[in-house]
Amino acid sequence: MARFFIRRLLSLVPTMFIIVTLSFFLIRLAPGGPFARERDLPEAILQNILKRYHMDEPLPKQYLRYLGDVIRWDFGPSLRYRDRSVNEMIDTTLPVSTALGLTALSLAVILGVNVGIVSALKQNKWPDYTAMSVAVVGISVPLFVMGPILQMVFAIWLKWLPPGQWLSDHGLKAIILPAVTLSFPYFAYIARLSRASVLEVLRSDYIRTARAKGLKESVVIVKHVLKGALLPVVTYLGPALSGIVTGSVVVEAVFVVPGLGRPFVQAAINRDYTMIMADVIVYSLLLITANLVVDLVYGLLDPRISYK
Amino acid sequence: MTDDVILQVKDLKTYFKLDEGLLKAVDGVSFDLRKGETLGIVGESGSGKSVTNLAVMKLIPVPPGRIAGGEVLFQGKDLLKMPDDEIRTIRGNKISMIFQDPMTSLNPFLRISTQMIETIVLHQGMNKKDAKDKSIEMLKLAGIPSPEKRIDSYPHQFSGGMRQRVMIAMALSCNPEVLIADEPTTALDVTIQAQILELIKDLTARLGTAVILITHSLGVVAGMCDNINVMYAGRIVERGTADEIFGDPKHPYTQGLIKSVPRLDKATQQRLFSIKGQPPNVINLPDCCPFYPRCDRALDICKIKYPATAELSKGRNVACWLYSEGK
Ligand SMILES: Nc1ncnc2c1ncn2[C@@H]1O[C@H](COP(=O)(O)OP(=O)(O)OP(=O)(O)O)[C@@H](O)[C@H]1O
Ligand SMILES: [Mg+2]
């Protein structure tokens, strides 16, 4: 197990290297550049700026310089907001996005699993029908529709919750609407997934054995059904997290949350190379680690899997 | 004689309500099981053997299933009328079951020890330590080598035969009055089959447990059972002692089954006999004898009415118009 873990951690290095290399060249292939918008810049001044960011050097040299910086976790200055470093921007926005994302993921998992279990146990009765109808809505309505609807109902009509902004202005209440919006599709999917897998396990031979042993139904469910039934949910956590990361960009825009999403989109539009690279690196690290954690949890839950 | 009957099934009916119609999986099955007896239930796939025995334990999935009538008297009390918490004190304790597929019948996520101990703790009120000792003892009886080491393994670390031994050990751990073995060897390869049957025979004889042995193979039943019930399409079509069934089968279906057992002792070059046709579809079955389309000796009345059970002698019954009065 420990060896597996270390090997996976080590494999992070080549993976990240490939990601950094590909992104570095790919974004430079896209038309335009960080300074293309500032039209009619006198040639001399442009040269000056390029020189300041070492962008007058040949590409391979820039690349090597960048690699060296990244290894020291130095993402360089933003090409757009010239008075701020990329590290500074990541440091202020990443915690916000992480808080939002983790809250959404926890909501999705906790509510989704519980609703799924109840649905399965009440199969084809009203709690099941209600939950599964909500789930269909959750899966089919996109975030940019769900967000404004919730905003309108709970913030503007009922005035229970702030319509946007973040903890500094409204305290913990501010996280509720964006987190609920962001978690909705994943909650819905997890609810359906766990319902289906609880139903499947309930039909399995070993549950029949458990019942034939005289165990109480509650013991059968908690001790014999759940572990097997939750494995598909654990597997889904990886894709769910990457979905939440991208969904976060939309939700942050709808609720004016000062997270990583907005600077990321801005950076892409502005060809703010250093900022884009930093975003890609941060997101990749996040997803790779999350998948590693998922694999570990899976291994802990399923004794048939042994990592060597 | 009747006072040592421990399990009495009377006119048991179990139906499944399916989209295609009403499936009468078990339709009026009656039998007695005596203390220490081994009773065979034989029949083709789909004849309702498993459903009968799941219904005895009230383990039919409802819906789509429903126990539509009958009684199951265990020590004089009707299991079918018992509230759930009372019948749970019987399941796994007084009556226990082993199933066809040992690969899927144990929970793959829990250690063998966990699965064995929970049953013993539940029914015998032992503490975990004693229950573990008891489990190890049972595993040893069931022929698991070095059980004290292997008890904490997971099911996937055992072979199929070993898992069935674990199932047997678990089923007998509370010293049940009745063991229901539902095709315990079907999923195993032939050499292991004989060992497992021997083990069941040996252990239940030692513990005085009565056995209901379900199988679709007469070969399995021959060396094991005192009495045999032959089932066809949800009903018992013939019953008798093992000697009677093998020596003098009455029902054309039983005769066909016996002819289709491969014999190693007779070096014939003949092709193996098989009963023609398919097992019947028991959905919306009319009131005929369900075997008549496959029967060489069918009479006109077979297509119209199901025969009443004729008692040829005590404990020797057959449901076939060839033996019924007033045909
Ligand atoms: N849960 C269920 N839902 C619907 N139909 C069922 C269910 N369980 C059993 N049946 C039907 O009841 C009939 C009898 O099935 P049963 O399992 O008792 O057969 P069997 O004699 O044990 O056969 P096998 O030798 O294949 O185990 C079959 O037609 C089967 O399709
Ligand atoms: Mg069966």
Side-chain angles (χ1 to χ4, degrees), chain B residues 16 18 23 25 43-52 61 64 100 182-183 214 216 282:
Chain B
F16 290 93
L18 305 179
L23 187 154
E44 280 169 306
S45 190
S47 54
K49 308 178 300 284
S50 299
V51 172
T52 304
Q100 173 168 345
D182 190 347
E183 311 209 25
I214 303 172
H216 55 242
V282 285

mmCIF file of all heavy atoms in Angstrom, chain B residues 16 18 23 25 43-52 61 64 100 182-183 214 216 282, ligand 1:
data_model
loop_
_atom_site.group_PDB
_atom_site.id
_atom_site.type_symbol
_atom_site.label_atom_id
_atom_site.label_comp_id
_atom_site.label_asym_id
_atom_site.label_seq_id
_atom_site.Cartn_x
_atom_site.Cartn_y
_atom_site.Cartn_z
ATOM 1 N N PHE B 16 -45.739 -15.069 -8.193
ATOM 2 C CA PHE B 16 -45.066 -13.829 -8.572
ATOM 3 C C PHE B 16 -45.940 -13.084 -9.566
ATOM 4 O O PHE B 16 -46.406 -13.658 -10.540
ATOM 5 C CB PHE B 16 -43.711 -14.115 -9.227
ATOM 6 C CG PHE B 16 -42.699 -14.634 -8.258
ATOM 7 C CD1 PHE B 16 -42.521 -15.997 -8.077
ATOM 8 C CD2 PHE B 16 -41.927 -13.760 -7.516
ATOM 9 C CE1 PHE B 16 -41.603 -16.482 -7.179
ATOM 10 C CE2 PHE B 16 -40.992 -14.232 -6.616
ATOM 11 C CZ PHE B 16 -40.826 -15.596 -6.441
ATOM 12 N N LEU B 18 -45.965 -10.787 -12.361
ATOM 13 C CA LEU B 18 -45.033 -10.232 -13.343
ATOM 14 C C LEU B 18 -45.816 -9.497 -14.415
ATOM 15 O O LEU B 18 -47.035 -9.630 -14.511
ATOM 16 C CB LEU B 18 -44.222 -11.358 -13.994
ATOM 17 C CG LEU B 18 -43.464 -12.273 -13.028
ATOM 18 C CD1 LEU B 18 -42.737 -13.354 -13.794
ATOM 19 C CD2 LEU B 18 -42.494 -11.475 -12.179
ATOM 20 N N LEU B 23 -47.291 -15.715 -12.163
ATOM 21 C CA LEU B 23 -46.420 -16.873 -12.232
ATOM 22 C C LEU B 23 -46.600 -17.674 -10.944
ATOM 23 O O LEU B 23 -46.236 -17.222 -9.868
ATOM 24 C CB LEU B 23 -44.971 -16.400 -12.405
ATOM 25 C CG LEU B 23 -43.906 -17.456 -12.674
ATOM 26 C CD1 LEU B 23 -42.748 -16.833 -13.424
ATOM 27 C CD2 LEU B 23 -43.404 -18.100 -11.413
ATOM 28 N N ALA B 25 -45.178 -19.994 -9.045
ATOM 29 C CA ALA B 25 -43.901 -20.693 -8.909
ATOM 30 C C ALA B 25 -44.052 -21.913 -8.019
ATOM 31 O O ALA B 25 -43.426 -22.947 -8.247
ATOM 32 C CB ALA B 25 -42.848 -19.741 -8.342
ATOM 33 N N GLY B 43 -35.990 -31.700 -9.218
ATOM 34 C CA GLY B 43 -36.802 -31.188 -10.313
ATOM 35 C C GLY B 43 -35.932 -30.362 -11.235
ATOM 36 O O GLY B 43 -34.832 -29.957 -10.870
ATOM 37 N N GLU B 44 -36.450 -30.132 -12.435
ATOM 38 C CA GLU B 44 -35.690 -29.339 -13.400
ATOM 39 C C GLU B 44 -35.590 -27.895 -12.950
ATOM 40 O O GLU B 44 -36.309 -27.458 -12.054
ATOM 41 C CB GLU B 44 -36.408 -29.364 -14.761
ATOM 42 C CG GLU B 44 -36.154 -30.611 -15.569
ATOM 43 C CD GLU B 44 -37.105 -30.675 -16.749
ATOM 44 O OE1 GLU B 44 -38.325 -30.586 -16.553
ATOM 45 O OE2 GLU B 44 -36.613 -30.798 -17.870
ATOM 46 N N SER B 45 -34.741 -27.159 -13.624
ATOM 47 C CA SER B 45 -34.605 -25.738 -13.368
ATOM 48 C C SER B 45 -35.963 -25.052 -13.549
ATOM 49 O O SER B 45 -36.675 -25.330 -14.505
ATOM 50 C CB SER B 45 -33.600 -25.166 -14.360
ATOM 51 O OG SER B 45 -33.281 -23.876 -13.987
ATOM 52 N N GLY B 46 -36.316 -24.180 -12.605
ATOM 53 C CA GLY B 46 -37.572 -23.454 -12.721
ATOM 54 C C GLY B 46 -38.775 -24.179 -12.164
ATOM 55 O O GLY B 46 -39.895 -23.681 -12.238
ATOM 56 N N SER B 47 -38.570 -25.359 -11.579
ATOM 57 C CA SER B 47 -39.730 -26.101 -11.084
ATOM 58 C C SER B 47 -40.227 -25.569 -9.742
ATOM 59 O O SER B 47 -41.278 -25.988 -9.267
ATOM 60 C CB SER B 47 -39.406 -27.586 -10.981
ATOM 61 O OG SER B 47 -38.256 -27.786 -10.212
ATOM 62 N N GLY B 48 -39.500 -24.656 -9.138
ATOM 63 C CA GLY B 48 -39.988 -24.023 -7.918
ATOM 64 C C GLY B 48 -39.341 -24.534 -6.643
ATOM 65 O O GLY B 48 -39.819 -24.268 -5.549
ATOM 66 N N LYS B 49 -38.228 -25.229 -6.777
ATOM 67 C CA LYS B 49 -37.562 -25.788 -5.603
ATOM 68 C C LYS B 49 -37.050 -24.689 -4.681
ATOM 69 O O LYS B 49 -37.309 -24.692 -3.478
ATOM 70 C CB LYS B 49 -36.394 -26.675 -6.041
ATOM 71 C CG LYS B 49 -36.775 -27.731 -7.061
ATOM 72 C CD LYS B 49 -35.589 -28.569 -7.504
ATOM 73 C CE LYS B 49 -34.454 -27.799 -8.152
ATOM 74 N NZ LYS B 49 -34.692 -27.372 -9.539
ATOM 75 N N SER B 50 -36.350 -23.743 -5.264
ATOM 76 C CA SER B 50 -35.785 -22.675 -4.430
ATOM 77 C C SER B 50 -36.880 -21.818 -3.824
ATOM 78 O O SER B 50 -36.814 -21.457 -2.646
ATOM 79 C CB SER B 50 -34.868 -21.776 -5.257
ATOM 80 O OG SER B 50 -33.816 -22.521 -5.771
ATOM 81 N N VAL B 51 -37.865 -21.493 -4.631
ATOM 82 C CA VAL B 51 -38.942 -20.637 -4.134
ATOM 83 C C VAL B 51 -39.658 -21.313 -2.966
ATOM 84 O O VAL B 51 -39.962 -20.676 -1.956
ATOM 85 C CB VAL B 51 -39.922 -20.281 -5.267
ATOM 86 C CG1 VAL B 51 -41.135 -19.566 -4.722
ATOM 87 C CG2 VAL B 51 -39.227 -19.423 -6.311
ATOM 88 N N THR B 52 -39.892 -22.619 -3.070
ATOM 89 C CA THR B 52 -40.522 -23.343 -1.962
ATOM 90 C C THR B 52 -39.755 -23.098 -0.667
ATOM 91 O O THR B 52 -40.328 -22.752 0.361
ATOM 92 C CB THR B 52 -40.515 -24.866 -2.244
ATOM 93 O OG1 THR B 52 -41.155 -25.096 -3.481
ATOM 94 C CG2 THR B 52 -41.210 -25.627 -1.138
ATOM 95 N N PRO B 61 -38.930 -12.242 -2.063
ATOM 96 C CA PRO B 61 -38.997 -10.794 -2.249
ATOM 97 C C PRO B 61 -40.424 -10.342 -2.558
ATOM 98 O O PRO B 61 -41.033 -10.806 -3.510
ATOM 99 C CB PRO B 61 -38.061 -10.531 -3.432
ATOM 100 C CG PRO B 61 -37.910 -11.834 -4.129
ATOM 101 C CD PRO B 61 -38.138 -12.907 -3.117
ATOM 102 N N PRO B 64 -42.049 -8.706 -6.229
ATOM 103 C CA PRO B 64 -43.221 -9.178 -6.970
ATOM 104 C C PRO B 64 -43.837 -10.435 -6.360
ATOM 105 O O PRO B 64 -44.909 -10.835 -6.773
ATOM 106 C CB PRO B 64 -42.642 -9.502 -8.341
ATOM 107 C CG PRO B 64 -41.248 -9.954 -8.044
ATOM 108 C CD PRO B 64 -40.796 -9.152 -6.870
ATOM 109 N N GLN B 100 -26.679 -22.148 -3.578
ATOM 110 C CA GLN B 100 -26.058 -22.748 -4.746
ATOM 111 C C GLN B 100 -24.657 -22.214 -5.028
ATOM 112 O O GLN B 100 -23.733 -22.966 -5.253
ATOM 113 C CB GLN B 100 -26.963 -22.470 -5.946
ATOM 114 C CG GLN B 100 -26.390 -22.888 -7.265
ATOM 115 C CD GLN B 100 -27.447 -22.848 -8.351
ATOM 116 O OE1 GLN B 100 -28.630 -22.783 -8.064
ATOM 117 N NE2 GLN B 100 -27.019 -22.905 -9.585
ATOM 118 N N ASP B 182 -29.692 -25.595 -0.745
ATOM 119 C CA ASP B 182 -30.243 -25.342 -2.076
ATOM 120 C C ASP B 182 -29.159 -25.540 -3.125
ATOM 121 O O ASP B 182 -28.333 -24.662 -3.351
ATOM 122 C CB ASP B 182 -30.809 -23.918 -2.141
ATOM 123 C CG ASP B 182 -31.614 -23.687 -3.415
ATOM 124 O OD1 ASP B 182 -31.528 -24.520 -4.331
ATOM 125 O OD2 ASP B 182 -32.315 -22.665 -3.484
ATOM 126 N N GLU B 183 -29.172 -26.675 -3.760
ATOM 127 C CA GLU B 183 -28.167 -27.038 -4.765
ATOM 128 C C GLU B 183 -26.757 -26.700 -4.295
ATOM 129 O O GLU B 183 -26.037 -25.951 -4.962
ATOM 130 C CB GLU B 183 -28.459 -26.316 -6.093
ATOM 131 C CG GLU B 183 -29.916 -26.459 -6.508
ATOM 132 C CD GLU B 183 -30.104 -26.426 -8.001
ATOM 133 O OE1 GLU B 183 -29.156 -26.766 -8.718
ATOM 134 O OE2 GLU B 183 -31.216 -26.085 -8.438
ATOM 135 N N ILE B 214 -31.967 -29.717 -1.909
ATOM 136 C CA ILE B 214 -32.564 -29.372 -3.190
ATOM 137 C C ILE B 214 -31.548 -29.633 -4.287
ATOM 138 O O ILE B 214 -30.382 -29.265 -4.140
ATOM 139 C CB ILE B 214 -32.933 -27.881 -3.211
ATOM 140 C CG1 ILE B 214 -33.868 -27.582 -2.049
ATOM 141 C CG2 ILE B 214 -33.559 -27.498 -4.532
ATOM 142 C CD1 ILE B 214 -34.123 -26.116 -1.883
ATOM 143 N N HIS B 216 -31.154 -30.586 -8.852
ATOM 144 C CA HIS B 216 -31.819 -31.039 -10.066
ATOM 145 C C HIS B 216 -31.203 -32.338 -10.557
ATOM 146 O O HIS B 216 -31.511 -32.818 -11.634
ATOM 147 C CB HIS B 216 -31.820 -29.966 -11.151
ATOM 148 C CG HIS B 216 -30.477 -29.441 -11.480
ATOM 149 N ND1 HIS B 216 -30.124 -28.130 -11.297
ATOM 150 C CD2 HIS B 216 -29.388 -30.055 -11.944
ATOM 151 C CE1 HIS B 216 -28.877 -27.965 -11.647
ATOM 152 N NE2 HIS B 216 -28.402 -29.111 -12.048
ATOM 153 N N VAL B 282 -44.528 -21.420 -16.603
ATOM 154 C CA VAL B 282 -45.581 -21.557 -15.599
ATOM 155 C C VAL B 282 -46.425 -20.294 -15.445
ATOM 156 O O VAL B 282 -47.180 -20.158 -14.506
ATOM 157 C CB VAL B 282 -45.014 -21.993 -14.234
ATOM 158 C CG1 VAL B 282 -44.660 -23.452 -14.275
ATOM 159 C CG2 VAL B 282 -43.831 -21.160 -13.841
HETATM 160 N N1 LIG C 1 -37.806 -12.992 -7.529
HETATM 161 C C1 LIG C 1 -38.486 -13.564 -8.527
HETATM 162 N N2 LIG C 1 -39.201 -12.808 -9.378
HETATM 163 C C2 LIG C 1 -39.880 -13.365 -10.392
HETATM 164 N N3 LIG C 1 -39.922 -14.676 -10.642
HETATM 165 C C3 LIG C 1 -39.231 -15.500 -9.841
HETATM 166 C C4 LIG C 1 -38.472 -14.979 -8.741
HETATM 167 N N4 LIG C 1 -37.875 -16.015 -8.119
HETATM 168 C C5 LIG C 1 -38.253 -17.127 -8.799
HETATM 169 N N5 LIG C 1 -39.065 -16.819 -9.830
HETATM 170 C C6 LIG C 1 -39.670 -17.766 -10.781
HETATM 171 O O1 LIG C 1 -40.229 -18.846 -10.068
HETATM 172 C C7 LIG C 1 -40.035 -20.057 -10.786
HETATM 173 C C8 LIG C 1 -39.413 -21.074 -9.878
HETATM 174 O O2 LIG C 1 -38.088 -20.662 -9.611
HETATM 175 P P1 LIG C 1 -37.108 -21.444 -8.651
HETATM 176 O O3 LIG C 1 -35.950 -20.547 -8.432
HETATM 177 O O4 LIG C 1 -37.817 -21.937 -7.455
HETATM 178 O O5 LIG C 1 -36.675 -22.668 -9.545
HETATM 179 P P2 LIG C 1 -35.711 -23.845 -9.131
HETATM 180 O O6 LIG C 1 -36.515 -25.081 -9.163
HETATM 181 O O7 LIG C 1 -35.003 -23.515 -7.875
HETATM 182 O O8 LIG C 1 -34.727 -23.858 -10.359
HETATM 183 P P3 LIG C 1 -33.129 -23.928 -10.385
HETATM 184 O O9 LIG C 1 -32.791 -25.372 -10.472
HETATM 185 O O10 LIG C 1 -32.788 -23.197 -11.647
HETATM 186 O O11 LIG C 1 -32.607 -23.252 -9.164
HETATM 187 C C9 LIG C 1 -39.193 -19.716 -11.988
HETATM 188 O O12 LIG C 1 -40.032 -19.660 -13.110
HETATM 189 C C10 LIG C 1 -38.625 -18.374 -11.682
HETATM 190 O O13 LIG C 1 -38.482 -17.626 -12.877
#
